[in-house]
Amino acid sequence: RRQPPDGGATPGDHGTAPTLSRPRGSTRNDCRSRPALGPYDGVMKRNEPLSTVMTKDPTTVNVTNKLSEVRKLMADGGIHHVPVVSGTKLVGLISATDMVRLSFSAYGADARAVDAMLDHEFSIEKVMSKDLTTLDVDQKVRDAATALSGGDFHSVPVVDGDRNLVGIVTSTDLI
């Protein structure tokens, strides 16, 4: 029996699989043709300052804001972590996970019903995490990687010596 030039089976032949070929000199795991992974070409610069990866001046809320405003910020802005400030001082953090836990009981309701429930039953101060791990603005990328490596949380606020919020680093920033 003859094989067609493409290496496939002849009509009526179900016993031979097509042959695969690779360009000369390539291997199965050859990644020379893959694009770079990002600004660091796949290698995290551990000794660089946090300012190279952190989000500066992140979107924040105050304890006097309503939780419905936080929900809208997260939904409309693609934000997963919202620092809570008093003036410029960091006092807490609300994560998307916190919001999902609260609004789970209203699953299936429209946004207005969820917002009404959130604002009636909860406050930012009651929901926010207060005992936060933070990084100092002078620390390095490796310190953020160490803080986030435990997997207990996915963001770390960055503060100055007076606990003023200057940025936030997320696990996505380090990828």
Side-chain angles (χ1 to χ4, degrees):
R1 290 201 289 221
R2 292 183 4 183
Q3 290 276 7
D6 67 356
T10 58
D13 180 14
H14 303 288
T16 55
T19 57
L20 299 175
S21 64
R22 292 188 185 93
R24 189 176 189 160
S26 70
T27 63
R28 178 174 290 174
N29 295 322
D30 190 359
C31 44
R32 288 180 285 189
S33 63
R34 292 184 187 163
L37 298 174
Y40 298 116
D41 293 328
V43 179
M44 182 182 8
K45 307 292 185 179
R46 294 177 296 177
N47 293 320
E48 290 200 12
L50 278 176
S51 61
T52 62
V53 295
M54 76 179 187
T55 300
K56 297 174 180 106
D57 300 319
T59 301
T60 63
V61 294
N62 191 294
V63 291
T64 59
N65 288 102
K66 295 181 178 183
L67 276 174
S68 59
E69 295 171 303
V70 175
R71 187 201 62 77
K72 289 174 191 165
L73 274 174
M74 290 181 172
D76 297 342
I79 300 170
H80 297 114
H81 310 93
V82 179
V84 181
V85 295
S86 176
T88 58
K89 304 261 190 245
L90 178 69
V91 294
L93 183 85
I94 297 180
S95 72
T97 304
D98 297 330
M99 295 302 291
V100 168
R101 284 185 194 129
L102 296 178
S103 59
F104 185 73
S105 61
Y107 179 75
D110 68 353
R112 286 184 9 192
V114 171
D115 289 346
M117 184 272 305
L118 288 173
D119 293 341
H120 178 72
E121 297 195 23
F122 303 100
S123 69
I124 287 179
E125 197 163 19
K126 288 180 183 176
V127 173
M128 70 182 187
S129 299
K130 297 174 188 161
D131 185 25
L132 301 175
T133 297
T134 60
L135 294 167
D136 188 84
V137 70
D138 296 325
Q139 287 184 276
K140 305 290 183 196
V141 170
R142 72 171 170 266
D143 299 314
T146 300
L148 292 167
S149 67
D152 295 331
F153 45 86
H154 300 283
S155 69
V156 180
V158 181
V159 296
D160 65 15
D162 294 325
R163 201 159 168 81
N164 293 307
L165 180 70
V166 295
I168 190 167
V169 176
T170 69
S171 50
T172 304
D173 295 329
L174 301 180
I175 295 177

